[in-house]
Amino acid sequence: MMKQKIVFLDVDGTLVDFKMTMPESARKALELARENGHLLVLCTGRAYCDIYPWLMDFGFDAVVASAGAHVMHNETELYHSFIDPKDLSKLAQIFKNHGAACVFQGSAGRFMTEENASAFLEFFRKMDINMDGKVLQNTIVEEPHLRNDIESGVYQGANVGIDQIQKEVGDAVTITGASFGVDREYNGEFTKGGINKATGMDIVMNHFGMEVSDAIAFGDSQNDIPMLRYAGVSVAMGDGAKPALEAADHVTTPLLEDGIWNGFKLVGLI
């Protein structure tokens, strides 16, 4: 039997599609991998509070949330990092200058202005995703960028690409192409500079006393690249973004074509 491995799994586009569907074969693969003695860790750009409750019910061994800014082992917090409000304020002004709507997120929830909430509702409607309830449940505040508990966020509809946004904000914040939808250039995500999924993975590995060679990562998008490069073995979903496919050691089938099941078999987890 294979030596115990620790498997890091992105959520959106890897375990679950963008209409919140998780293939039954993926669920079975997780169960079999656990039966074989392997550890399973969610490694997502979502804030901890924004991970699907039904997915959390599976009982993962740890969670890396907000693309590395928040790391949990059961009820124990292993790491938590926030973006400085002064950097958020600068970023918020840049988004405003370029016509982008943005959402700020952390373990306390998602925060946005009423104008940005309306823009995101329209954005998801165009993608044929009904997010009315979820968006309207977010906390509407006039100046979300002044909060001191923001870990990361997303934006959409900028009139310039991610490289230009990055140039204007500087190194304090990292800008990455969106992990959902088709447009990864004018829609994106932001995290604290120097913090990414590999940051959280390293904390989890140290906590469990395991070697990098024992880590296997599964991802599909640009914010997964640090994770895919960090792991001893990495697998990209067949329908993932091209940069993610290029960063991975292996490519499995698309998510809805038994991608997780085939990927787990490919690397010997099941």
Side-chain angles (χ1 to χ4, degrees):
M1 183 178 290
M2 174 185 278
K3 175 186 176 184
Q4 184 185 50
K5 300 293 182 180
I6 182 165
V7 187
F8 291 88
L9 296 145
D10 171 53
V11 176
D12 298 288
T14 299
L15 272 180
V16 182
D17 73 4
F18 300 109
K19 295 189 177 181
M20 294 172 273
T21 300
M22 180 177 177
E24 185 58 33
S25 63
R27 188 180 300 276
K28 184 63 175 178
L30 297 181
E31 292 171 351
L32 287 177
R34 173 164 284 171
E35 289 176 11
N36 288 339
H38 303 300
L39 301 178
L40 302 175
V41 178
L42 289 182
C43 196
T44 178
R46 287 175 173 265
Y48 189 75
C49 67
D50 200 32
I51 300 172
Y52 304 119
W54 58 264
L55 186 58
M56 292 291 283
D57 288 343
F58 186 84
F60 290 88
D61 297 286
V63 176
V64 175
S66 288
H70 194 191
V71 183
M72 296 289 294
H73 173 221
N74 297 329
E75 300 302 315
T76 301
E77 187 173 271
L78 303 181
Y79 179 75
H80 211 169
S81 178
F82 307 102
I83 304 175
D84 192 307
K86 75 176 190 305
D87 298 320
L88 288 174
S89 297
K90 180 179 180 180
L91 184 62
Q93 186 60 52
I94 292 169
F95 288 147
K96 184 176 181 179
N97 293 345
H98 292 298
C102 58
V103 178
F104 299 87
Q105 63 184 26
S107 56
R110 290 176 291 182
F111 304 90
M112 67 188 80
T113 65
E114 188 169 356
E115 180 182 7
N116 283 344
S118 297
F120 266 92
L121 276 174
E122 183 60 25
F123 173 65
F124 283 114
R125 286 192 186 110
K126 289 179 178 178
M127 293 175 62
D128 194 29
I129 298 175
N130 182 7
M131 294 291 288
D132 291 43
K134 288 184 176 294
V135 173
L136 293 176
Q137 289 170 10
N138 291 335
T139 302
I140 305 300
V141 293
E142 290 185 9
E143 297 180 314
H145 53 275
L146 297 182
R147 296 184 63 91
N148 60 9
D149 60 352
I150 299 302
E151 303 157 3
S152 60
V154 298
Y155 71 92
Q156 59 89 13
N159 59 18
V160 295
I162 58 174
D163 289 345
Q164 180 62 33
I165 300 286
Q166 184 68 76
K167 180 180 178 181
E168 293 183 28
V169 74
D171 296 335
V173 177
T174 297
I175 306 297
T176 309
S179 58
F180 58 88
V182 176
D183 186 349
R184 314 284 174 107
E185 181 62 20
Y186 300 100
N187 304 325
E189 304 175 359
F190 57 91
T191 53
K192 184 175 180 179
I195 304 297
N196 54 50
K197 290 189 176 185
T199 307
M201 292 172 71
D202 193 57
I203 291 165
V204 171
M205 298 299 291
N206 289 331
H207 180 74
F208 285 110
M210 299 179 74
E211 301 293 330
V212 173
S213 59
D214 297 322
I216 301 177
F218 285 77
D220 74 296
S221 62
Q222 286 167 282
N223 73 359
D224 293 320
I225 292 174
M227 175 177 75
L228 296 170
R229 289 177 174 166
Y230 174 95
V233 175
S234 58
V235 182
M237 308 305 289
D239 50 350
K242 184 178 179 180
L245 272 63
E246 292 173 345
D249 298 312
H250 306 284
V251 176
T252 183
T253 51
L255 187 164
L256 295 179
E257 296 177 22
D258 300 324
I260 289 295
W261 175 269
N262 292 329
F264 273 35
K265 288 188 69 68
L266 177 68
V267 297
L269 292 168
I270 59 176

